[in-house]
Amino acid sequence: LLVSFIFKIVPFLFLLLLLLFIAIYRGNENILIIHHMRDYIIFITVAFYLTVVCQNDSRGTFIAYNSIKQMYLLMAVIKIMILIYAYAFSVPMGELLDNISDSTGIPMMQAKTLNDYIFRLQFPIDPVIPFLLYFLIKEFNSGSNKKIALMQFSLLTLSLILTMSRAFWLVGFLLVFIAFYKEFNLSKKLKVVVTSSILAVVLLFTTNMYQYLEDIIGSRIGGEAVDANYYSDLERTIQTNAILKAFYENPILGKGLGYYIPGVIRDEDDKYLYESQTLSILMDFGLILFIVFLISVLLNVIKNNYHTLDDLFMAFIFFCIWVFFGSVNPLLIGMTGGLIIFFALNNRSLNNLFSSRK
């Protein structure tokens, strides 16, 4: 297992060595170089070690997938408990999330909604939720215990909604739509649509869920969200312009690991992190090594999924989503990026897992 893992990551370690030499030559801060290396190593470890686990043992795919799913279900329950606690004890949500972040060291995105009792609850690794929703539909269609799969799907959908991220919502809707279209025939599609519509109407109009959903969605894409989205997008624009300017200064070999733009800093601890990590990695790696990095990942994705056109197509979609997420948040490398690429690398194995249950 260890030998297979090392063999898979050798090209990425060689690339890391080149990046390290460039960073040292540029005179970047040692602590930031180390932190950037940490993110890179976490990325390749999560993505490729889990992949080796899937390929090494017939039960490996089930163990890896189920472990990830259970972790996210636990996070969904934690979000619900946070909301209940804040409501029951009248604790300001912002203060509660600050205390959680300070005590656990886990940064949590925060934003108010139009409802005082609903607050943005987003963990750093939440972008993986859309991929779990995609495979949960497959699990629902192939498994015998559909009630559990439906309950898990509902929990993760709520967790996704509470992220209040337009990008996550968009990808979640896209992957759920694709899975729904692929997994169900026409009669099942009609049954699911009719049943879901009836349940939605009953829940929305016999409880306060309608008002809660309206407040959450309105806080991000409604008229009330104009100012908040404007400043959020303006910050991205400022960072993007600064990153592109820095990239043009050293376009071939880049600025090196740990580089940050003075005066344009998103995170005081890890100053090299920017909203568009895809662009910031281009700035750090340079054009040549950035292309080598993306192609190296993509070749592994193709190698693991080339057996059928459908597997290859969806794996490529996952790869593109990984790049897209990296363009709107610092999600390209690190644990989150590693988990997303895990799904791209193992799309065929996961499909086979659920196909074997039918």
Side-chain angles (χ1 to χ4, degrees):
L1 190 68
L2 183 60
V3 173
S4 299
F5 168 65
I6 293 174
F7 180 76
K8 283 186 176 294
I9 67 171
V10 162
F12 295 94
L13 293 178
F14 180 70
L15 179 60
L16 178 61
L17 190 61
L18 293 175
L19 291 167
L20 180 60
F21 285 149
I22 294 171
I24 294 173
Y25 174 76
R26 300 289 188 203
N28 297 344
E29 294 181 25
N30 291 338
I31 187 64
L32 295 182
I33 294 175
I34 293 172
H35 284 191
H36 213 164
M37 288 176 60
R38 173 203 61 194
D39 295 346
Y40 184 91
I41 292 171
I42 290 173
F43 167 76
I44 60 176
T45 300
V46 170
F48 289 99
Y49 186 78
L50 290 177
T51 297
V52 170
V53 169
C54 291
Q55 296 175 348
N56 189 67
D57 190 297
S58 58
R59 282 179 49 82
T61 304
F62 170 78
I63 293 171
Y65 166 76
N66 202 51
S67 298
I68 294 171
K69 184 179 69 173
Q70 295 302 324
M71 176 177 68
Y72 277 87
L73 288 171
L74 176 60
M75 289 165 52
V77 172
I78 290 173
K79 289 182 182 182
I80 294 172
M81 291 174 64
I82 290 173
L83 289 175
I84 293 174
Y85 180 87
Y87 177 78
F89 295 96
S90 300
V91 179
M93 186 65 76
E95 180 181 322
L96 179 59
L97 294 182
D98 285 337
N99 290 335
I100 292 173
S101 296
D102 292 340
S103 59
T104 63
I106 300 174
M108 297 185 67
M109 294 286 289
Q110 296 186 26
K112 294 181 179 180
T113 69
L114 301 178
N115 189 301
D116 292 336
Y117 297 108
I118 301 295
F119 214 80
R120 182 179 197 172
L121 293 173
Q122 181 181 320
F123 292 107
I125 57 175
D126 275 348
V128 179
I129 295 174
F131 298 88
L132 289 169
L133 293 177
Y134 173 84
F135 286 106
L136 264 171
I137 291 178
K138 290 180 173 290
E139 188 176 346
F140 174 86
N141 196 37
S142 62
S144 57
N145 203 331
K146 297 183 184 297
K147 290 182 179 179
I148 291 180
L150 185 60
M151 182 182 69
Q152 292 175 342
F153 183 88
S154 301
L155 267 176
L156 291 181
T157 299
L158 176 60
S159 183
L160 179 64
I161 291 172
L162 290 174
T163 66
M164 290 181 58
S165 167
R166 292 166 291 170
F168 301 170
W169 289 352
L170 173 64
V171 172
F173 176 81
L174 173 66
L175 292 184
V176 167
F177 176 81
I178 292 174
F180 177 76
Y181 180 81
K182 289 173 59 180
E183 290 299 310
F184 300 111
N185 57 35
L186 181 59
S187 61
K188 282 189 175 181
K189 285 185 176 72
L190 290 174
K191 289 179 182 178
V192 172
V193 169
V194 171
T195 304
S196 300
S197 299
I198 292 173
L199 285 175
V201 169
V202 171
L203 286 174
L204 291 176
F205 292 100
T206 60
T207 67
N208 289 331
M209 286 184 64
Y210 173 77
Q211 187 62 49
Y212 291 147
L213 282 175
E214 185 179 49
D215 290 340
I216 292 172
I217 295 172
S219 298
R220 291 300 287 156
I221 59 177
E224 299 292 334
V226 173
D227 288 341
N229 290 338
Y230 170 77
Y231 288 110
S232 174
D233 295 338
L234 178 62
E235 180 65 25
R236 285 193 176 93
T237 301
I238 292 171
Q239 291 182 20
T240 297
N241 291 338
I243 290 170
L244 289 174
K245 182 180 178 181
F247 165 71
Y248 291 134
E249 293 174 359
N250 301 100
I252 305 302
L253 296 179
K255 295 287 190 177
L257 295 174
Y259 175 79
Y260 66 93
I261 304 167
V264 185
I265 296 173
R266 176 186 179 274
D267 188 312
E268 288 296 333
D269 294 323
D270 294 325
K271 298 178 182 179
Y272 55 86
L273 288 177
Y274 291 96
E275 293 290 335
S276 178
Q277 194 173 38
T278 301
L279 279 180
S280 69
I281 290 295
L282 173 62
M283 171 186 69
D284 297 333
F285 287 22
L287 186 60
I288 295 175
L289 296 184
F290 179 74
I291 292 175
V292 170
F293 172 65
L294 289 185
I295 290 178
S296 298
V297 175
L298 183 58
L299 286 177
N300 278 278
V301 170
I302 293 172
K303 179 183 177 182
N304 288 3
N305 296 279
Y306 72 90
H307 303 80
T308 69
L309 184 61
D310 181 67
D311 288 339
L312 184 60
F313 174 74
M314 283 310 303
F316 182 70
I317 292 293
F318 292 168
F319 174 84
C320 291
I321 291 172
W322 170 62
V323 176
F324 165 69
F325 273 161
S327 69
V328 294
N329 284 113
L331 304 171
L332 200 68
I333 62 174
M335 184 175 179
T336 305
L339 287 171
I340 293 173
I341 286 299
F342 161 78
F343 283 102
L345 289 168
N346 297 281
N347 177 57
R348 175 175 174 268
S349 298
L350 289 165
N351 281 335
N352 290 342
L353 173 67
F354 298 121
S355 297
S356 65
R357 297 183 182 180
K358 291 183 178 181

